[in-house]
Amino acid sequence: MQQSEDYVLRILEEGGVVTRRQIDSARSRLNGAASVIDVLINDGIVSDADVSRTLAAQAHMDWIDISSMVIPPQVIKQIRGEEARRFKVVPVAFGETGLIVAVGDPLDIDTIDSLSFLLQRDLELVCTSPNKIREALIKYYGTADEAADVLREKIGEDIDLDLELGDGVQPVEGDSTDAPIIRLVSMLLIEAHRMGASDIHLEPLDKKFRVRFRVDGVLQEMQAPPKRLQSAIISRLKIMTGSMSIAEKRLPQDGRIQVKIKKKPIDLRVSTIPTNHGESMVMRVLDKSSLMLGLPELGFFSDDQEIFESLIKLPDGILLVTGPTGSGKTSTLYACLNSINKPDRKIITVEEPIEYQMTGINQVQVNPEIGMTFPAALRSILRQAPNIIMIGEIRDLETASIAINASLTGHLVFSTLHTNDAPSAVARLVDIGVQPFLVASSVRAIMAQRLVRRLCNNCKQPGELTETELRALQIEPGQIREAQIMKPVGCEQCRQIGYKGRMGIFEIFIIDDEVRHMINKRSSTLMLRQRARELGMRTLREDGVRKILAGLTSGEEVISITMGDVS
């Protein structure tokens, strides 16, 4: 064993992968570690991929990354699970002269010869790293327990998961058959929470069961459980909702799961839809701690925050928040309600669905199947004498008309619209049938917003904007001189991405008397936008530039999320 390791270390040294000093330093710090190579890997001097690549070159063997491959089931069946585990190999394809098999140690000739003799066939060998062999063994031959162990290693902390299932549903604790699936699902939810995921996507594909987390608005693929566990995982999550049928796989279903992770309540909004390879499930992670966000945490600079705080304290009128799906409109409205939720005010919301339950606020769930639509709910709640009304979204003329009438009779109304910028909201309301004079007399302000990723505070470094970015963002040289331009780098805290968390960029359009006159005259969106600019409105891109110059985000991020400003 010692001679084998010395031989490997000599190959690594001759290949320039490590130095003699690094080897001697690692040898002096063994302290019970399995090998000098293990110490070098733990220190980050080399990776197991570096080691296996070097050994593959020495053995004149091709090196492949099997983690990026989808191996067909007919190939996997060529070697039984017991034999694959015993010899630590994975079949990857059919070759011209035999079965192509990936090995982690190309120098272990005896094991390779034994496998060839056992299978009674010729083998074509390729090399990959031992870690990738282990992951592939779990992916293609593994159990739910092994898949959960992989997640546990990534989490690296004690588990504290308290499941609160739907009414009338009891946790399945004693069934030894289901226990590994329960553990795997629990670990999946813990990992999603640890990474700060907003969505969990479980997607059945032809030859794999893909798991992706949406983190800071970007989907990231995770370690996939074995394909054969797909049905069991989906069924377990359905059971946890207490309302979804595990027998029904032909129709879409919706449900809700409540869990506690580290004593922190988390809601999961669950949706399934049948696909050609099984049921696809998406879970929206609703972290109640985001309700406690103040306006500064949303991304407001002090001047915009002051304007916005004055708007949400108005006695009546409509305040609209606009933007595409996923731009943080609902979080902004909840933050508004949280800041003005006082004992002397009655607040009622009409939502579909209710994403967060807030203390001290009357929340109404829309249910079109029984006739509880937005208009029906609004007509009823006006008899409840509220001071403030929040409407999840204005979708049609009837909803808009009731909201406008409420605002004109002394209520402050918050709502959202799907438009690309703030001035376009006026045209959108007119398009659905609202008379321009009603828009002009009821709407007090419109705020458009987007979410951009924040640079990781732990690893961001001073940087410069490229010429292309300077032109696109219309940044003057004088602005750069006093700026703190930063660039993403990547570290363990941000998982080597360079960004951690998101913040809003905003465009606040105040409706003044002249703007009301323009709306009554049916002036174009372009003219309204020009007037808003004259009143001092910063566009989304201009607000993004301020946050670039303050070192909070990058030029690439703002350009990708905003459109160019019309001069």
Side-chain angles (χ1 to χ4, degrees):
M1 182 70 181
Q2 182 62 43
Q3 290 179 345
S4 174
E5 183 181 56
D6 288 342
Y7 175 66
V8 172
L9 289 170
R10 189 172 76 249
I11 293 173
L12 294 175
E13 185 181 0
E14 290 173 354
V17 180
V18 295
T19 65
R20 171 52 54 182
R21 177 178 295 180
Q22 290 170 329
I23 293 173
D24 292 340
S25 174
R27 198 186 300 278
S28 68
R29 293 181 289 107
L30 277 175
N31 292 330
S35 68
V36 175
I37 295 174
D38 289 336
V39 176
L40 291 170
I41 292 174
N42 290 335
D43 287 349
I45 296 171
V46 296
S47 67
D48 67 330
D50 294 331
V51 175
S52 62
R53 276 195 182 94
T54 305
L55 296 181
Q58 180 71 17
H60 304 288
M61 190 181 296
D62 290 335
W63 192 94
I64 64 171
D65 181 359
I66 59 172
S67 64
S68 62
M69 300 174 62
V70 178
I71 305 173
Q74 59 268 30
V75 173
I76 290 295
K77 291 177 182 176
Q78 299 303 309
I79 300 180
R80 294 188 305 168
E82 297 83 357
E83 294 160 356
R85 294 171 192 277
R86 174 183 166 194
F87 294 106
K88 295 183 175 59
V89 298
V90 176
V92 294
F94 294 112
E96 294 181 1
T97 60
L99 182 66
I100 301 177
V101 176
V103 300
D105 184 0
L107 303 182
D108 190 357
I109 304 300
D110 292 340
T111 296
I112 296 168
D113 288 344
S114 299
L115 177 64
S116 180
F117 177 78
L118 181 66
L119 297 178
Q120 290 295 298
R121 65 191 301 174
D122 292 332
L123 302 179
E124 296 180 30
L125 301 179
V126 293
C127 185
T128 190
S129 71
N131 276 346
K132 295 186 185 298
I133 288 285
R134 176 172 174 266
E135 291 175 0
L137 288 173
I138 292 173
K139 180 177 180 179
Y140 295 106
Y141 299 103
T143 65
D145 268 335
E146 289 174 322
D149 284 338
V150 172
L151 284 173
R152 181 191 286 273
E153 288 180 7
K154 290 184 177 180
I155 294 170
E157 55 189 25
D158 294 335
I159 303 171
D160 184 9
L161 182 71
D162 177 21
L163 296 180
E164 298 178 356
L165 306 185
D167 294 338
V169 181
Q170 297 299 320
V172 185
E173 298 292 348
D175 192 332
S176 60
T177 303
D178 288 342
I181 294 295
I182 293 173
R183 180 167 168 260
L184 174 57
V185 169
S186 298
M187 297 294 292
L188 189 70
L189 299 182
I190 292 171
E191 174 68 354
H193 177 260
R194 186 185 72 87
M195 291 182 63
S198 60
D199 301 278
I200 303 170
H201 295 251
L202 307 177
E203 302 163 312
L205 305 179
D206 184 17
K207 295 171 182 169
K208 66 182 288 190
F209 183 44
R210 184 165 67 178
V211 176
R212 294 191 291 176
F213 295 165
R214 189 181 297 278
V215 181
D216 295 337
V218 179
L219 282 171
Q220 300 181 21
E221 189 159 353
M222 311 306 296
Q223 176 71 38
K227 169 75 172 174
R228 58 189 178 78
L229 299 179
Q230 167 184 314
S231 179
I233 291 171
I234 297 293
S235 294
R236 169 59 185 167
L237 288 163
K238 283 184 174 182
I239 290 171
M240 289 170 64
T241 67
S243 61
M244 300 172 73
S245 169
I246 62 173
E248 182 55 76
K249 300 181 180 180
R250 301 165 300 169
L251 296 173
Q253 296 188 68
D254 294 295
R256 200 175 192 118
I257 299 172
Q258 289 184 316
V259 298
K260 286 183 180 177
I261 300 176
K262 290 186 170 294
K263 305 301 182 184
K264 186 178 183 181
I266 305 293
D267 279 359
L268 301 167
R269 201 172 74 212
V270 185
S271 171
T272 64
I273 189 169
T275 70
N276 56 336
H277 296 300
E279 286 183 286
S280 174
M281 177 177 281
V282 175
M283 291 180 283
R284 179 85 183 273
V285 182
L286 305 174
D287 187 348
K288 292 183 178 180
S289 64
S290 63
L291 289 179
M292 299 300 108
L293 289 178
L295 297 180
E297 285 77 21
L298 293 176
F300 283 105
F301 278 155
S302 57
D303 52 352
D304 282 343
Q305 181 179 335
E306 185 177 346
I307 294 171
F308 195 66
E309 284 179 343
S310 66
L311 292 173
I312 64 177
K313 292 176 182 176
L314 290 172
D316 55 33
I318 297 178
L319 175 61
L320 293 173
V321 181
T322 76
T325 300
S327 59
K329 301 186 298 295
T330 302
S331 295
T332 297
L333 290 183
Y334 275 120
C336 292
L337 295 182
N338 187 56
S339 66
I340 60 178
N341 185 13
K342 302 291 189 296
D344 61 342
R345 294 176 181 173
K346 178 159 186 173
I347 303 174
I348 302 182
T349 72
V350 185
E351 306 171 62
E352 184 189 7
I354 296 173
E355 294 194 356
Y356 300 100
Q357 295 181 1
M358 300 184 69
T359 303
I361 292 178
N362 301 276
Q363 296 174 270
V364 178
Q365 170 78 51
V366 169
N367 188 352
E369 293 181 4
I370 61 173
M372 189 63 161
T373 61
F374 272 106
L378 283 170
R379 280 192 295 269
S380 298
I381 67 174
L382 287 177
R383 303 189 196 103
Q384 298 283 311
N387 300 105
I388 298 164
I389 301 170
M390 187 191 92
I391 305 169
E393 181 185 348
I394 293 179
R395 303 180 180 180
D396 51 46
L397 175 58
E398 192 174 4
T399 304
S401 298
I402 297 173
I404 287 171
N405 288 333
S407 71
L408 295 176
T409 54
H411 303 86
L412 180 60
V413 179
F414 297 110
S415 191
T416 69
L417 272 179
H418 288 282
T419 62
N420 288 328
D421 61 5
S424 298
V426 173
R428 172 70 180 139
L429 289 173
V430 173
D431 282 344
I432 64 176
V434 180
Q435 292 297 320
F437 76 90
L438 289 175
V439 176
S441 57
S442 61
V443 178
R444 297 287 181 265
I446 305 164
M447 184 178 77
Q449 71 174 68
R450 297 289 189 280
L451 292 176
V452 296
R453 291 183 293 174
R454 289 180 185 265
L455 290 169
C456 174
N457 286 326
N458 185 61
C459 63
K460 65 182 181 182
Q461 292 181 1
E464 295 181 355
L465 296 172
T466 65
E467 289 296 326
T468 302
E469 289 174 334
L470 289 171
R471 284 196 303 271
L473 297 168
Q474 298 180 2
I475 296 178
E476 300 296 332
Q479 294 176 279
I480 294 292
R481 283 194 291 270
E482 300 179 0
Q484 298 176 336
I485 306 294
M486 307 297 281
K487 66 178 181 180
V489 178
C491 65
E492 289 187 5
Q493 289 190 20
C494 62
R495 301 176 303 281
Q496 307 302 324
I497 296 172
Y499 298 92
K500 189 173 183 181
R502 289 190 290 176
M503 64 189 301
I505 54 175
F506 306 98
E507 178 177 288
I508 303 176
F509 180 21
I510 306 293
I511 309 296
D512 70 351
D513 289 339
E514 185 173 341
V515 173
R516 290 190 183 93
H517 181 63
M518 294 174 69
I519 294 173
N520 280 325
K521 290 186 354 182
R522 296 179 180 266
S523 297
S524 68
T525 299
L526 179 59
M527 293 179 66
L528 291 175
R529 188 174 186 80
Q530 289 174 341
R531 173 56 186 165
R533 298 293 296 275
E534 292 170 5
L535 292 172
M537 181 189 82
R538 270 184 295 270
T539 64
L540 289 166
R541 179 159 287 190
E542 287 170 343
D543 193 42
V545 166
R546 290 206 300 167
K547 283 154 188 173
I548 294 169
L549 300 178
L552 300 175
T553 189
S554 67
E556 178 185 11
E557 186 72 8
V558 171
I559 291 171
S560 69
I561 216 75
T562 61
M563 58 184 177
D565 297 328
V566 179
S567 57

